[in-house]
């Protein structure tokens, strides 16, 4: 799509046309977008445990300050939840991209709870995409994996608009979002430009979650079992083995997959052994994976806030995408992008 056509599509009210598949369309978000601010960063977001706030319409112009990122909400599909907040810096070289994927049992959650994490990667100088996707109540698997890939394709297709480098990006997912991130990473024999995948407490093995969530499992494990069944369209593994096989990330490891990093708590309801299964599958095809286990029971975003976890993830991502100039740095003084590591 040419620049003029894209501009026309962006300016047309959403009610007047259906979104073209994969094209980022500017439209009001189904959830509050980052609010305008006069500081270098958008205003803080609610914590992951916060309740939903009142609905709001995104600003008509990009959220930006002289030295801060631009922030806009775009649609990448026609469904209300097929939306994404894109944070980008207009100055400096083309920047690698970090895609952030929220959790919520595949049936809930919202990108607004990922705003502070999104900001942290924007502060490192990256283009960052904080995305929503259809939930299991909207559509059964593989709609969620398809949505993540559609959002990625839309941003890569229009990378110049976001001063982004389409050949360098990573996926960072939390809980159910970590499952989606790893599922996309293992889809096919590699994804163009994907340099790494990070999952925080990812249930990469829904079949294991189904087994662990029997009557003998914990309350959270039983809830995860029900959530996995709902993701599969309400169908049990014995009746719909192909659907469950498609959801099972370790079944899809191939030599073209990107390196992966996952982090779990030792006593959380998504046990580290799920990631160990994926690691073994990836290692058999020559793909490196690191599984880190922290003491305790914290899960997802609370685990990410434990001392040293965010720093570990950031360092791993920087090693794969390369370090870019801080956003506040003068373009004339910006160093060249460091070569990324696989």
């Amino acid at each position: 799509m040419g620049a003029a056509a894209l501009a026309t599509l962006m300016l047309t009210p959403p009610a007047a046309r259906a979104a073209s598949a994969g094209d980022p369309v500017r439209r009001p978000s189904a959830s509050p977008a980052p609010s305008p601010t006069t500081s270098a960063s958008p205003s803080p977001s609610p914590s992951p445990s916060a309740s939903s706030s009142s609905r709001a319409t995104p600003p008509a112009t990009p959220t930006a300050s002289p030295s801060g990122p631009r922030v806009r909400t775009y649609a990448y599909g026609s469904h209300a939840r097929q939306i994404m907040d894109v944070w980008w810096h207009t100055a400096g070289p083309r920047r690698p991209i970090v895609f952030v994927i929220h959790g919520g049992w595949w049936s809930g959650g919202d990108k607004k709870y990922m705003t502070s994490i999104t900001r942290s990667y924007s502060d490192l100088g990256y283009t960052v995409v904080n995305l929503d996707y259809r939930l299991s109540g909207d559509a059964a698997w593989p709609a969620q994996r398809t949505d993540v890939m559609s959002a990625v394709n839309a941003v890569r297709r229009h990378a110049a608009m976001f001063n982004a480098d389409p050949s360098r990006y990573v996926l960072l997912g939390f809980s159910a979002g970590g499952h989606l991130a790893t599922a996309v990473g293992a889809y096919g024999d590699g994804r163009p430009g994907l340099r790494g995948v990070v999952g925080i407490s990812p249930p990469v093995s829904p079949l294991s979650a189904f087994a662990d969530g029997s009557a003998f499992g914990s309350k959270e494990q039983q809830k995860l079992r029900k959530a996995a069944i709902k993701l599969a369209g309400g169908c049990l593994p014995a009746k719909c083995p192909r659907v469950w096989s498609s959801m099972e990330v370790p079944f899809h490891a191939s030599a073209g997959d990107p390196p992966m990093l996952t982090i779990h708590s030792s006593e959380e309801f998504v046990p580290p052994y799920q990631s160990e299964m994926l690691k073994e599958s990836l290692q058999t095809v020559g793909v490196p994976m690191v599984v880190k286990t922290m003491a305790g029971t914290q899960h997802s975003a609370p685990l990410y806030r434990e001392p040293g976890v965010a720093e570990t993830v950031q360092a791993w991502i920087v090693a794969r995408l390369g370090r870019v100039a801080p956003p506040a740095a003068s373009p004339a003084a910006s160093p060249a992008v460091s070569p990324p590591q696989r």
Side-chain angles (χ1 to χ4, degrees):
M1 176 176 291
L6 177 62
T8 300
L9 186 60
M10 289 170 61
L11 292 173
T12 304
R17 49 92 182 105
S20 298
D23 287 333
V25 181
R26 179 74 171 92
R27 75 177 187 187
S29 169
S31 63
S35 303
T37 176
T38 56
S39 63
S41 301
S43 57
S45 67
S47 67
S49 60
S51 60
S52 298
S53 59
S54 59
R55 300 297 184 184
T57 301
T61 56
T63 299
S65 70
S67 60
R70 291 188 178 183
V71 183
R72 273 188 165 181
T73 298
Y74 293 91
Y76 61 87
S78 58
H79 193 277
R81 271 189 271 271
Q82 291 174 318
I83 53 176
M84 56 187 176
D85 297 335
V86 184
W87 301 45
W88 77 97
H89 304 278
T90 57
R94 290 282 195 99
R95 299 172 183 272
I97 313 164
V98 177
F99 290 87
V100 179
I101 311 170
H102 71 78
W105 309 90
W106 299 291
S107 61
D110 192 290
K111 61 183 171 57
K112 66 185 177 184
Y113 298 126
M114 296 286 102
T115 302
S116 62
I117 292 172
T118 299
R119 182 187 299 109
S120 71
Y121 287 93
S122 177
D123 289 345
L124 291 178
Y126 298 118
T127 296
V128 191
V129 180
N130 182 15
L131 63 96
D132 276 340
Y133 49 88
R134 285 172 293 171
L135 304 175
S136 57
D138 303 317
W141 182 266
Q144 298 71 27
R145 182 182 63 194
T146 299
D147 282 359
V148 173
M149 291 191 294
S150 294
V152 169
N153 291 341
V155 173
R156 292 183 70 242
R157 185 181 301 116
H158 300 286
M161 187 168 75
F162 304 119
N163 193 31
D165 182 351
S167 68
R168 289 182 296 157
Y169 69 93
V170 299
L171 306 177
L172 169 58
F174 293 77
S175 191
H179 169 256
L180 301 185
T182 55
V184 170
Y187 186 75
D189 190 21
R191 308 296 299 167
L194 181 54
R195 302 300 181 93
V197 172
V198 180
I200 309 300
S201 304
V204 298
S205 175
L207 284 170
S208 296
F210 178 86
D212 291 343
S214 69
F216 300 100
S218 68
K219 181 179 179 181
E220 290 82 6
Q221 287 175 323
Q222 292 178 23
K223 181 177 179 180
L224 185 59
R225 174 189 171 110
K226 293 178 181 177
I229 294 172
K230 186 175 182 180
L231 180 65
C235 195
L236 300 181
K239 187 174 181 180
C240 299
R242 290 186 178 180
V243 174
W244 285 80
S245 176
S246 177
M247 299 192 310
E248 191 77 2
V249 183
F251 288 178
H252 302 281
S254 61
D257 295 345
M260 299 194 190
L261 165 67
T262 61
I263 303 179
H264 295 261
S265 291
S266 58
E267 304 300 325
E268 67 165 299
F269 65 92
V270 180
Y273 85 79
Q274 287 201 21
S275 283
E276 293 292 346
M277 292 167 57
L278 177 57
K279 179 180 179 180
E280 182 177 349
S281 295
L282 288 171
Q283 285 183 333
T284 61
V285 293
V287 176
M289 178 174 178
V290 177
V291 180
K292 290 188 174 294
T293 303
M294 307 291 292
T297 61
Q298 298 283 37
H299 173 78
S300 191
L303 171 59
Y304 187 81
R305 293 195 295 269
E306 288 289 289
V309 174
E311 293 81 0
T312 296
V313 173
Q314 289 177 355
W316 193 90
I317 288 176
V318 168
R320 272 125 201 101
L321 293 184
R323 191 178 299 276
V324 296
S330 168
S334 298
V337 176
S338 304
Q341 301 176 18
R342 182 165 174 79

